[in-house]
Amino acid sequence: MAISAQMVKELREKTGAGMMDCKKALVEVDGDLEKAVDWLRQKGMAKAAKKSGRATCEGVVTAVTSPDGKHVAMASLMCETDFVARGDQFQAMAARVAQAVLEHNPADPTALDGVVGDEVKQLIASVGENMQLGKFARHTRQSDNEVIGQYIHANGKIGVLVFLTCAKAESVNAPEVKELAKNLAMQVAAASPMALDAGSLDQAAVEREREVYRQKALEEGKPAQIVDKIADGAVKKFQKEVCLLEQPYIRDDKKSVSDIVREAGKAVGDTITVTGFTRIQLAAE
């Protein structure tokens, strides 16, 4: 297939490889962008593929908690410009969307559009700028032992919910537990983990990573008998980067997230378990 300049540009932005190398990679894999990323990595021409984490449009992520603290909702509303995103009308609509998610618990984007779609369209007509409902999430506390950590990044473009359980219900109100929940939400916002732990990581992603490093080792002429060991080591490193509990803690990279969870549990004389998280970033895939 024909390789366009736009395809080459996009691959270069993803990998940092040279223009000619990007074009060659795309030719080798018949224009498949993801395969081209892997091809460049196998040749040692690109760093590990990571999502850029940059929002591709403007808007805001908002969150709201029910008065009884049992339910929390988070939602994103997108627009074209930062100027509109910072306006009072848009901010109020974004808060309205989160409230709608909390109250109606929509099953999917179509259901949410049925609740607030007309209001968004009215604002579009008023402001004269296109807007779009983005990702959303709603969570209900499963028991009195659960704690929900919540964080909205200062720019309003990333929102996180983190879910913890304590063995003892009385621990949920301990300052150390509340601080832990907030800090873990900040960790997820900053480090963008793909999964809670290795067991919950998408195995297709793991195998893709393993194969990239196997092929890279072979390309470098490494002895066949150590190629699998090299790939296994790369997978372990990959897991530390993308699994929340294995990641270095953002406030002290000498400790893992698991370490700080254990420390908080010890401080309150309880066992704390991280059960999951939700991360919403504007326009992120």
Side-chain angles (χ1 to χ4, degrees), residues 146-193:
E146 186 175 33
V147 178
I148 303 174
Q150 177 181 311
Y151 176 71
I152 302 289
H153 191 58
N155 63 9
K157 291 176 169 50
I158 302 174
V160 175
L161 300 174
V162 171
F163 316 118
L164 316 174
T165 58
C166 301
K168 305 172 186 176
E170 58 267 27
S171 298
V172 300
N173 292 316
E176 295 90 344
V177 174
K178 291 184 178 296
E179 182 70 13
L180 173 67
K182 180 182 178 181
N183 288 340
L184 289 183
M186 293 175 69
Q187 172 84 25
V188 173
S192 189

Side-chain angles (χ1 to χ4, degrees), residues 40-259:
L40 287 167
R41 292 180 62 200
Q42 290 164 10
K43 303 296 182 183
M45 299 176 185
K47 297 180 180 180
K50 294 181 180 178
K51 294 179 187 290
S52 67
R54 295 179 300 177
T56 55
C57 70
E58 297 300 331
V60 67
V61 179
T62 53
V64 61
T65 303
S66 63
D68 60 10
K70 290 185 178 180
H71 313 281
V72 61
M74 184 172 285
S76 56
L77 181 64
M78 296 177 287
C79 60
E80 295 180 49
T81 64
D82 182 60
F83 176 77
V84 167
R86 290 185 282 108
D88 291 343
Q89 286 181 293
F90 185 86
Q91 292 281 330
M93 179 56 69
R96 166 74 182 113
V97 173
Q99 187 67 35
V101 173
L102 182 72
E103 293 177 359
H104 297 274
N105 192 19
D108 53 38
T110 301
L112 178 59
D113 186 69
V115 178
V116 295
D118 287 344
E119 294 176 57
V120 173
K121 289 174 184 175
Q122 289 174 12
L123 184 57
I124 292 171
S126 172
V127 174
E129 182 167 305
N130 190 31
M131 297 173 193
Q132 181 181 343
L133 293 168
K135 294 180 180 179
F136 63 90
R138 185 181 186 275
H139 183 80
T140 297
R141 288 179 64 200
Q142 301 301 306
S143 71
D144 291 339
N145 295 57
E146 186 175 33
V147 178
I148 303 174
Q150 177 181 311
Y151 176 71
I152 302 289
H153 191 58
N155 63 9
K157 291 176 169 50
I158 302 174
V160 175
L161 300 174
V162 171
F163 316 118
L164 316 174
T165 58
C166 301
K168 305 172 186 176
E170 58 267 27
S171 298
V172 300
N173 292 316
E176 295 90 344
V177 174
K178 291 184 178 296
E179 182 70 13
L180 173 67
K182 180 182 178 181
N183 288 340
L184 289 183
M186 293 175 69
Q187 172 84 25
V188 173
S192 189
M194 294 173 60
L196 180 63
D197 52 28
S200 55
L201 189 61
D202 179 4
Q203 290 307 301
V206 174
E207 290 310 313
R208 176 182 173 184
E209 200 72 13
R210 188 190 307 278
E211 185 60 21
V212 163
Y213 279 94
R214 282 192 79 262
Q215 294 301 322
K216 186 173 186 293
L218 291 171
E219 290 278 348
E220 293 172 349
K222 296 291 194 298
Q225 63 268 27
I226 68 168
V227 166
D228 286 338
K229 288 184 179 179
I230 292 173
D232 288 343
V235 166
K236 288 180 181 178
K237 181 181 178 182
F238 173 67
Q239 290 174 342
K240 286 184 179 180
E241 292 174 349
V242 302
C243 296
L244 174 61
L245 294 177
E246 296 185 32
Q247 285 181 332
Y249 181 43
I250 56 173
R251 292 188 171 183
D252 184 354
D253 60 11
K254 293 181 174 60
K255 298 178 181 179
S256 68
V257 170
S258 290
D259 291 335

